[in-house]
Amino acid sequence: MDNITIRQGETLFLSCSQGDFVTHTAWLNRSSILYAGEDKWSVDPRVSLVTLSQEEFTIKIEDVDVTDEGQYICAVQTSSRPRTTSVHIIVQVPPKIVNLSRDLVVNEGSNVTLMCLANGKPEPAIVWRMKSPSDDSLSSDSEVLDIPFISRYRAGVYECTAANDIAVDTQTVELTVNYAPSVSDGRDVGVTLGQRGVLQCEADAVPEADFEWYRDDRRIFNGLDGIEIEAAGALSRLTFFNVSEADYGNYTCVAINKLGSANTSFVLYGVTTAESTARH
């Protein structure tokens, strides 16, 4: 018995030779008659007659599916004796990822499990990898990727690939890792009276930090006393447009998100015009 391998969705042609003195001929599948000569017995609209002649008897099955897999028999009755030809059909199915972890937002230190399930025939091999930023050390040759005690450096896009002999299916999951703010050390700034001064605070945090500025223990608000506070992403700037003697002193920047806070201190101090010129 011959084996024929065909891909899901393709058209299957089944043909057998006839010869002289044929009185009856039929194609069967699992003992069910598909065609007896020119007469269609199958109720499946995908099955049709292609050729029936003295030389050959050919039918076709369109849009083949896994349920069409199995043994097919061509039975030929001649005036002398009956003969049969059989063929076994194997239907291959391209991989399809059917269950994938959703995009995740987790806190740093959590244990993370990513799941990827796929169908296909032959059964697809599944591979997980960290796609962006690329990290070959973080991969898995199974349906599950475990990341214990996840750090902020493991945040990114993870790719699941399901592959068999026919095709490849790929899907991605985005993993966001939240962590408490950390701030860069404050840099003291010297400014001449009447000049413009800027204190700049930078925080690393997910979600992005909100900023608060303090003079000693008193919170500073935007627009008061000729001071402007502006935040742009990871940066916050405290700008003095016309520095006075009263502005000199200690300032604190506090970066806050839902996981915690961090702070750093600055000193705004006075310099003479000559010192300022020498610095530049």
Side-chain angles (χ1 to χ4, degrees):
M1 181 170 58
D2 293 331
N3 286 335
I4 294 179
T5 299
I6 187 169
R7 296 184 181 185
Q8 185 184 44
E10 293 183 344
T11 298
L12 171 66
F13 289 89
L14 297 169
S15 183
C16 70
S17 59
Q18 297 297 283
D20 297 332
F21 312 114
V22 172
T23 57
H24 298 88
T25 185
W27 269 108
L28 301 87
N29 174 24
R30 302 186 195 91
S31 76
S32 296
I33 298 174
L34 301 176
Y35 262 90
E38 293 182 339
D39 297 329
K40 182 178 179 180
W41 286 40
S42 170
V43 296
D44 191 333
R46 300 173 304 136
V47 180
S48 61
L49 177 65
V50 178
T51 305
L52 178 58
S53 68
Q54 191 173 346
E55 287 76 31
E56 66 170 289
F57 178 27
T58 302
I59 65 170
K60 69 176 180 180
I61 304 173
E62 297 179 80
D63 194 21
V64 167
D65 202 356
V66 180
T67 53
D68 298 315
E69 198 167 77
Q71 187 178 21
Y72 290 78
I73 298 171
C74 177
V76 178
Q77 177 70 48
T78 67
S79 53
S80 55
R81 60 183 177 82
R83 59 181 167 84
T84 60
T85 306
S86 62
V87 61
H88 187 79
I89 304 302
I90 300 167
V91 179
Q92 293 185 324
V93 182
K96 182 172 179 59
I97 295 171
V98 293
N99 193 347
L100 184 74
S101 296
R102 296 180 179 179
D103 291 347
L104 284 176
V105 179
V106 299
N107 293 340
E108 192 169 40
S110 301
N111 296 325
V112 174
T113 299
L114 299 180
M115 174 75 73
C116 180
L117 301 178
N119 294 335
K121 199 167 178 293
E123 186 175 332
I126 292 180
V127 175
W128 275 105
R129 72 181 184 97
M130 190 173 182
K131 182 182 179 184
S132 174
S134 180
D135 185 348
D136 293 336
S137 69
L138 197 58
S139 62
S140 169
D141 293 334
S142 73
E143 296 171 341
V144 174
L145 175 63
D146 287 317
I147 313 170
F149 308 111
I150 193 166
S151 76
R152 64 193 69 180
Y153 308 108
R154 296 300 196 193
V157 176
Y158 289 78
E159 180 182 77
C160 171
T161 300
N164 64 11
D165 298 340
I166 311 167
V168 175
D169 190 19
T170 301
Q171 292 194 33
T172 58
V173 174
E174 185 165 4
L175 190 53
T176 301
V177 179
N178 291 334
Y179 53 92
S182 59
V183 291
S184 305
D185 289 338
R187 194 168 66 86
D188 297 344
V189 176
V191 183
T192 305
L193 284 173
Q195 298 299 304
R196 182 172 173 272
V198 179
L199 302 180
Q200 184 165 287
C201 182
E202 185 173 2
D204 179 25
V206 175
E208 280 188 346
D210 293 319
F211 291 93
E212 294 177 359
W213 284 92
Y214 293 84
R215 167 75 185 270
D216 300 322
D217 292 329
R218 183 174 60 86
R219 186 173 175 186
I220 304 167
F221 291 95
N222 185 40
L224 294 179
D225 303 321
I227 293 173
E228 180 183 77
I229 299 173
E230 56 179 343
L235 287 176
S236 180
R237 293 184 184 87
L238 181 66
T239 302
F240 305 83
F241 289 102
N242 184 7
V243 171
S244 68
E245 193 75 46
D247 292 327
Y248 295 139
N250 298 312
Y251 293 84
T252 301
C253 166
V254 182
I256 306 163
N257 72 6
K258 62 185 180 181
L259 296 182
S261 64
N263 64 75
T264 187
S265 297
F266 302 80
V267 176
L268 183 70
Y269 62 91
V271 293
T272 64
T273 306
E275 287 176 316
S276 179
T277 304
R279 287 170 182 272
H280 289 81

